[in-house]
Amino acid sequence: MLVNGRISSRSYPRYMMARSFFRRVLADVDKFCMQSEESARRIIDIGADPSRVTVTGSLKFESVEPPASVSAGRGEGRVLRYFRLPPGRLVFIAASTLKR
C-alpha cells in the first residue's frame, strides 16, 4: 500500500519516460492512497490500476479517530476495515518524519 502518495509536476515527466518499467512495479501494489486528484491521475497515467487508486487527501495531518471500544480491547480491526484490508493481513508500515 502506498499511503500519502504524491507525484510532483517536476517528477511526472520522468516517471512517464520509464512508464513500462513502473507499470510492472505498480502492479505489485494493492492500494494507492493519493493526496490529490492530480496525483491520482498521474499514478494511473504511469500505470497503476485505477480500481486500486483512492484520493484520501494528506494523511499527514488527518487521522482515523479510534472508537471508544478500542480502549476496552474491541475495535482493533477498524483501521483494517477503513483501508479494506482482510482480517489477519500482514501490514508493514514504513514511515519517515522530518523535524523542521
Side-chain angles (χ1 to χ4, degrees):
M1 174 182 269
L2 172 69
V3 178
N4 224 28
R6 181 172 120 355
I7 300 175
S8 69
S9 58
R10 183 175 177 216
S11 298
Y12 177 63
R14 289 182 242 165
Y15 284 121
M16 288 298 288
M17 287 191 304
R19 184 172 38 189
S20 61
F21 168 76
F22 282 109
R23 183 171 285 127
R24 288 179 279 168
V25 171
L26 297 176
D28 290 333
V29 179
D30 292 329
K31 188 73 174 171
F32 300 89
C33 299
M34 305 303 288
Q35 289 186 14
S36 67
E37 291 288 340
E38 185 69 18
S39 286
R41 182 190 60 77
R42 289 175 178 164
I43 198 81
I44 292 167
D45 288 349
I46 293 166
D49 178 348
S51 69
R52 296 179 179 187
V53 178
T54 302
V55 176
T56 57
S58 176
L59 297 177
K60 185 174 184 176
F61 302 107
E62 298 179 24
S63 67
V64 176
E65 288 296 321
S69 61
V70 168
S71 61
R74 299 180 307 272
E76 294 90 350
R78 182 165 187 228
V79 173
L80 292 176
R81 286 191 305 275
Y82 179 82
F83 289 108
R84 296 187 178 124
L85 296 171
R89 172 75 186 259
L90 176 64
V91 176
F92 175 78
I93 299 173
S96 64
T97 60
L98 175 64
K99 187 175 181 180
R100 294 178 188 216

